[in-house]
Amino acid sequence: MEKKKTKQEQNISSAKIRNRTITAFVIFILLFAGAIFTFVTIKNQPGETQKTGVQDPLRKVLNGNERVFTKIFSANHLAKTYPKSAAVKKVRVNGDVGMGKDFDAKDWKLKLVKAAGDTLLISLEDIRKLPKTEIIFDFKCIEGWSQITDWSGVKFSDFVKAYHLDQQSQKKYIGLVTPDGGYYVGIDMPSAMHPQTLLCYEMNGKPLPMDQGYPLRLIIPTKYGIKSLKRIGTLSFSDERPKDYWFERGYDYYSGL
Ligand SMILES: Nc1nc2c(c(=O)[nH]1)N[C@H]1C(S)=C(S)[C@@H](COP(=O)(O)O)O[C@H]1N2
Ligand SMILES: [Mo]
């Protein structure tokens, strides 16, 4: 078989080879022109009509991705977990937006906005009294690195139960903001209520280091790291999408894995 093929190949005339070369070259030029045309067209589209960070056609693609992700997402979709021994001791610190040095940890309380004009202040001590869950998973940053890390805290869904937030959890989103307002994320409710989503206060069994979000951060293993907001100041509920720091800079709002 092999031999036959080789012979056939040798029989191709030089005229045929020339024709094929010309055809390939023409196709190359057409594809190249097409690519430039598409690029220029997208570039010239009105962008940021809704402060979404990218040109409208690109945002449309992202919105399409989001619809697909939301459909296949469910509580059955669990991020892979690892044994404690797999967790790294030296955890990378990435991103310090909204983590100003003048933060006063002693005065910190979680601002839980139950409704307009109805805000509950909750201490770390009270949060630590809630059922504790530990998760060891591969934390993935959108920049391309990942690390197996060990986090503990209260499941967001357990927090909802403990504070009787049944009504609030009927809303479509939660919004999280750092105490200084510098960093903020929005999370769709199914992802927030996912069994692996934590309001986290420990890393490797010890209180969170300052630059890793002390006293309380979000850990959401089913999404990229950009959504795991460090140092939660305010937690609120809404049917409209809460503003989102990286969404405003062109990233996917859902950022699912
Ligand atoms: N407040 C705040 N939270 C943040 C960020 C940030 O800049 N500020 N960066 C995010 C990004 S991009 C990543 S990858 C993770 C990194 O968490 P780590 O520093 O604990 O590794 O935090 C997320 N949470
Ligand atoms: Mo990240």
Side-chain angles (χ1 to χ4, degrees):
M1 274 299 258
E2 272 302 306
K3 247 187 179 168
K4 239 186 189 168
K5 222 179 183 181
T6 325
K7 253 197 180 150
Q8 260 181 3
E9 270 165 15
Q10 281 168 352
N11 286 339
I12 297 173
S13 69
S14 56
K16 257 188 184 157
I17 289 175
R18 196 181 335 113
N19 280 342
R20 284 184 187 185
T21 309
I22 291 169
T23 310
F25 188 67
V26 168
I27 290 173
F28 168 76
I29 293 289
L30 288 176
L31 287 177
F32 190 68
I36 288 185
F37 176 76
T38 309
F39 177 77
V40 171
T41 309
I42 290 176
K43 252 316 218 207
N44 292 337
Q45 287 286 323
E48 305 210 31
T49 45
Q50 298 159 348
K51 213 165 181 247
T52 70
V54 292
Q55 277 83 11
D56 290 347
L58 298 179
R59 181 51 72 193
K60 272 191 194 128
V61 173
L62 287 175
N63 288 346
N65 289 346
E66 187 175 315
R67 276 194 293 277
V68 173
F69 270 118
T70 320
K71 281 241 170 69
I72 59 177
F73 182 86
S74 77
N76 304 324
H77 165 90
L78 292 178
K80 188 173 183 229
T81 56
Y82 295 81
K84 237 183 164 61
S85 57
V88 296
K89 294 284 160 282
K90 215 172 168 289
V91 182
R92 189 168 169 159
V93 175
N94 201 54
D96 59 0
V97 183
M99 314 257 299
K101 293 279 170 276
D102 50 350
F103 170 66
D104 189 356
K106 283 192 301 301
D107 283 352
W108 181 90
K109 285 218 166 105
L110 174 67
K111 287 197 180 88
L112 172 68
V113 185
K114 296 174 75 177
D118 181 10
T119 300
L120 196 62
L121 297 178
I122 308 173
S123 69
L124 182 60
E125 210 190 332
D126 284 340
I127 292 171
R128 293 184 73 103
K129 285 180 194 149
L130 303 177
K132 186 172 177 179
T133 299
E134 180 170 25
I135 184 158
I136 299 139
F137 76 105
D138 198 12
F139 189 109
K140 295 188 178 77
C141 172
I142 222 152
E143 291 165 17
W145 56 268
S146 82
Q147 251 190 347
I148 298 174
T149 41
D150 174 353
W151 310 91
S152 313
V154 57
K155 279 184 195 175
F156 183 75
S157 59
D158 285 342
F159 175 81
V160 162
K161 256 186 239 154
Y163 282 89
H164 310 291
L165 304 170
D166 320 84
Q167 226 180 325
Q168 287 80 357
S169 66
Q170 300 303 310
K171 302 268 187 195
K172 290 199 180 113
Y173 297 96
I174 64 167
L176 301 166
V177 186
T178 55
D180 67 358
Y183 196 79
Y184 35 88
V185 301
I187 310 273
D188 57 287
M189 193 59 74
S191 299
M193 295 296 282
H194 183 280
Q196 291 177 316
T197 302
L198 304 183
L199 296 177
C200 162
Y201 48 78
E202 279 179 10
M203 188 184 85
N204 288 331
K206 293 189 194 75
L208 285 175
M210 214 35 149
D211 49 12
Q212 239 124 8
Y214 183 88
L216 190 71
R217 74 175 295 172
L218 188 72
I219 282 292
I220 181 155
T222 51
K223 290 186 189 289
Y224 278 108
I226 47 175
K227 291 290 191 178
S228 285
L229 178 136
K230 299 190 276 192
R231 195 184 288 166
I232 307 171
T234 307
L235 165 60
S236 61
F237 302 83
S238 64
D239 280 325
E240 300 77 46
R241 270 184 171 180
K243 63 177 186 164
D244 188 279
Y245 186 86
W246 284 111
F247 177 73
E248 288 174 1
R249 284 154 184 81
Y251 285 83
D252 174 25
Y253 194 94
Y254 195 69
S255 288
L257 285 165

